[in-house]
Amino acid sequence: MSTAILDRKADNKLARGIQRVTSTALGQYQSAVIRIGFSATYLFFLLRELPHRHEMYGPDAPWRWDMAQQLISGNQSFTALMWSDSTVWFEVVYAVALISAALLMVGWHTRATSVLFMAGVLSLQNRSIFMGDGGDNVIHLMAIYLVLTRCGRVWSLDARRAARQARAEADGARSPVLGNLAGPVLWVVLGLVLIVASVTDGLGGTWWLPTLLWFLWVGEGAWWAVNRYAPQSQSRTLLDVVANLAHNATLVVIMAEVCLIYATAGWYKIQGSRWQDGTALYYPLKLDYFTPWPGLSDILASNSVMVMVLTYGTVIVQVAFPFTLFNRRVKNVLLVAMMLEHAGIALLLGLPFFSMAMIAADSVFLPTVFLVWLGGRVTLARERLFPVRTRIPGQRRGGDDVEAPQHSGDGGHTLVG
């Protein structure tokens, strides 16, 4: 009898776990921070390199277009910059990458803009593969992962529009026609581009990218049709389940990716003699290329105790972090330490975009309670800077709508908070 009771409890626990994973997009706030962090990082990078874009990825790059074409024919990677070697086409691709990063950051039609963001990142980075660093590699991977997440459920224009439409339906009013047309127009335009790229073999030589893009395009069309004509049907529930599974699985992959980055970095450092004797931090502080603040770097480099503490501390935090994920308190302490470490790298070594990318990746482990509190503080600051008119109860607001948090009912603590 006791065995049967234990088996029944185990089955119930498994059923609750499956129900939660399929019915809820977990880590909505964490995925929103990842979306904002990586799109902002790439947006600021593209803006900073705007005067030098031709030398980095364009017609004046040392890695010429014909050399890139030879490399692409060998590794079969995707870049829209190989569709034409004209300067006008390069400007178009660069502009699309910049605009899509801005739109993804604010969460405007995140499914479509995340695909454009991924295409922009892959196009520029695969065009000149020797221009990147570790931060660019992280952006490269996260741009692919983001298209599979439901990263616009909170802190986005999509969430504001969904809340506005829900209020309109509750009041018996019709939704704005312009807001309803933007999605289908984007879908049609991107579909035409996808057809042309597929016919002309412009999607690279891999199988996964065309498959992913066609799956997303067909799925988004089916989602729109079912949501419009059969919102309460089983087909709508099935699409929700598939989207939640893809989102939750991708979130696990992102967490594993971050752990892998820190674990490999930490274990490789352990094998280095300079990390073993505690002097590794001293040497980059003495390189002119990595010292934007020479005076500050000299002060730190002259303190041997501080150099040793930071050197050993970096290794300890990176090696230990993956083993602390199931202890919330220790995990949060190490998470703060890693973010401060990257802030120090940005300040002392002059690598702001690498640090921004890693901090955005670390955000997947931030507690939900903290992110909700942070969002509340940002909302409060915004309302103080831009006061909203007092509204009579029942009166509809136009452009003054504020986003209502979409609670998913996933109480308790998980790896993401």
Side-chain angles (χ1 to χ4, degrees):
M1 176 64 72
S2 60
T3 304
I5 294 175
L6 291 176
D7 290 341
R8 192 179 303 112
K9 289 183 177 180
D11 292 341
N12 292 337
K13 185 178 294 185
L14 178 62
R16 287 195 300 270
I18 294 175
Q19 193 273 339
R20 184 182 182 190
V21 170
T22 56
S23 65
T24 305
L26 302 173
Q28 295 182 15
Y29 290 94
Q30 287 81 1
S31 59
V33 173
I34 293 173
R35 183 198 85 233
I36 295 170
F38 279 100
S39 57
T41 299
Y42 206 61
L43 173 64
F44 295 151
F45 172 77
L46 294 179
L47 289 174
R48 190 194 71 172
E49 301 300 340
L50 193 62
H52 315 293
R53 63 190 185 280
H54 287 190
E55 290 77 14
M56 294 185 64
Y57 307 110
D60 300 330
W63 189 253
R64 301 191 309 271
W65 189 85
D66 56 332
M67 298 169 63
Q69 191 176 38
Q70 293 179 21
L71 180 64
I72 294 299
S73 63
N75 61 22
Q76 302 296 310
S77 58
F78 164 78
T79 169
L81 290 176
M82 290 296 100
W83 296 357
S84 173
D85 61 348
S86 70
T87 303
V88 174
W89 177 244
F90 166 76
E91 298 291 359
V92 169
V93 174
Y94 198 93
V96 168
L98 197 152
I99 294 172
S100 64
L103 294 177
L104 183 61
M105 182 177 66
V106 298
W108 185 80
H109 290 279
T110 51
R111 184 67 67 190
T113 52
S114 65
V115 173
L116 288 175
F117 177 73
M118 178 188 70
V121 170
L122 297 183
S123 295
L124 294 176
Q125 291 189 355
N126 291 339
R127 164 63 176 86
S128 298
I129 61 173
F130 301 110
M131 298 301 299
D133 56 19
D136 293 287
N137 293 335
V138 175
I139 293 175
H140 189 107
L141 293 171
M142 294 300 174
I144 299 173
Y145 297 153
L146 275 174
V147 301
L148 295 173
T149 63
R150 308 185 78 173
C151 56
R153 301 294 296 275
V154 296
W155 295 347
S156 66
L157 295 180
D158 287 349
R160 290 169 64 91
R161 184 175 62 253
R164 195 159 50 238
Q165 290 177 350
R167 283 195 296 270
E169 291 174 0
D171 294 341
R174 298 181 60 182
S175 300
V177 177
L178 184 60
N180 293 335
L181 285 179
V185 169
L186 271 174
W187 185 78
V188 171
V189 172
L190 293 179
L192 294 175
V193 174
L194 184 57
I195 292 173
V196 172
S198 300
V199 171
T200 59
D201 294 328
L203 297 177
T206 60
W207 63 269
W208 66 267
L209 183 61
T211 303
L212 174 64
L213 293 177
W214 278 109
F215 175 79
L216 290 172
W217 187 75
V218 172
E220 193 65 18
W223 187 284
W224 180 87
V226 171
N227 201 44
R228 181 176 179 84
Y229 298 107
Q232 305 299 327
S233 65
Q234 292 183 352
S235 298
R236 176 65 171 79
T237 303
L238 176 62
L239 290 175
D240 241 337
V241 169
V242 173
N244 290 333
L245 284 174
H247 169 91
N248 295 330
T250 304
L251 212 59
V252 172
V253 172
I254 292 175
M255 290 188 288
E257 188 77 42
V258 175
C259 291
L260 184 62
I261 290 172
Y262 284 117
T264 54
W267 286 105
Y268 271 111
K269 286 181 175 67
I270 288 177
Q271 302 174 41
S273 59
R274 295 293 176 261
W275 291 96
Q276 293 174 5
D277 61 26
T279 62
L281 182 63
Y282 173 84
Y283 299 97
L285 293 175
K286 289 298 183 179
L287 295 176
D288 293 338
Y289 187 76
F290 291 105
T291 52
W293 310 99
L296 185 59
S297 298
D298 290 340
I299 293 175
L300 181 58
S302 62
N303 191 327
S304 58
V305 175
M306 184 60 68
V307 169
M308 182 184 66
V309 169
L310 291 177
T311 300
Y312 286 145
T314 298
V315 176
I316 292 172
V317 168
Q318 292 182 350
V319 172
F321 179 74
F323 300 100
T324 65
L325 294 183
F326 295 97
N327 188 312
R328 290 187 294 110
R329 293 182 178 178
V330 179
K331 181 260 293 182
N332 291 338
V333 170
L334 293 187
L335 192 60
V336 172
M338 290 192 303
M339 289 184 172
L340 291 176
E341 172 194 337
H342 289 301
I345 290 174
L347 178 64
L348 294 174
L349 302 184
L351 298 172
F353 299 111
F354 166 78
S355 299
M356 289 178 64
M358 289 308 303
I359 291 174
D362 294 342
S363 300
V364 72
F365 294 106
L366 286 174
T368 301
V369 173
F370 169 75
L371 291 177
V372 173
W373 174 86
L374 182 62
R377 301 286 76 75
V378 172
T379 301
L380 182 61
R382 184 187 63 189
E383 291 176 350
R384 288 180 177 178
L385 290 175
F386 307 101
V388 180
R389 293 178 304 172
T390 304
R391 185 168 66 101
I392 300 174
Q395 179 183 355
R396 292 179 58 212
R397 294 190 290 191
D400 294 332
D401 292 315
V402 295
E403 172 193 338
Q406 299 183 16
H407 299 289
S408 56
D410 51 340
H413 295 280
T414 65
L415 289 180
V416 297

